[in-house]
């Protein structure tokens, strides 16, 4: 642990932000899995709904610098291809 007061505070805020980022990444992965699961079940309405939710989460992750914009674009294209295959 650091000795300087500002570094102690920084360590605490970094730990807090790390938990928030981890939760956001987990939520994003879950939404991607929900799209894939709906496509495998052949449920088009459910897949489109999950796809729209996933797109907004991907955009949010890019805005908050949690994921890179190319990652988001790749996932959107991949999932769109899956949903359009129904």
């Amino acid at each position: 642990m650091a000795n300087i007061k500002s570094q102690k505070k920084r360590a605490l805020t970094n730990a807090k932000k790390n938990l928030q980022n981890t939760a956001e990444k987990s939520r994003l992965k879950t939404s991607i899995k929900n799209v894939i699961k709906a496509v495998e079940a052949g449920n088009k309405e459910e897949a489109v709904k999950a796809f729209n939710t996933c797109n907004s989460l991907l955009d949010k992750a890019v805005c908050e610098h949690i994921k890179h914009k190319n990652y988001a674009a790749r996932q959107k294209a991949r999932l769109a291809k899956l949903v359009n295959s129904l």
Side-chain angles (χ1 to χ4, degrees):
M1 190 75 178
N3 294 324
I4 300 167
K5 188 175 182 180
S6 63
Q7 287 303 311
K8 289 179 183 178
K9 182 180 177 185
R10 204 78 204 114
L12 291 175
T13 56
N14 285 345
K16 231 191 297 188
K17 193 64 178 167
N18 186 25
L19 285 175
Q20 289 173 346
N21 288 346
T22 303
E24 187 63 31
K25 284 180 187 179
S26 177
R27 201 167 75 158
L28 184 61
K29 288 178 194 173
T30 303
S31 73
I32 290 171
K33 288 175 193 170
N34 288 341
V35 174
I36 294 170
K37 195 184 301 180
V39 168
E40 287 175 351
N43 191 346
K44 181 142 178 114
E45 295 107 25
E46 183 86 17
V48 169
K49 186 177 175 185
F51 177 66
N52 291 336
T53 304
C54 187
N55 274 347
S56 66
L57 287 176
L58 282 166
D59 290 337
K60 184 179 175 189
V62 170
C63 287
E64 293 178 357
H65 304 288
I66 294 172
K67 292 289 185 182
H68 194 271
K69 64 179 182 174
N70 290 352
Y71 171 84
R74 186 176 67 245
Q75 293 300 329
K76 283 181 184 180
R78 182 176 74 97
L79 294 173
K81 197 160 103 174
L82 277 176
V83 171
N84 290 334
S85 71
L86 289 176

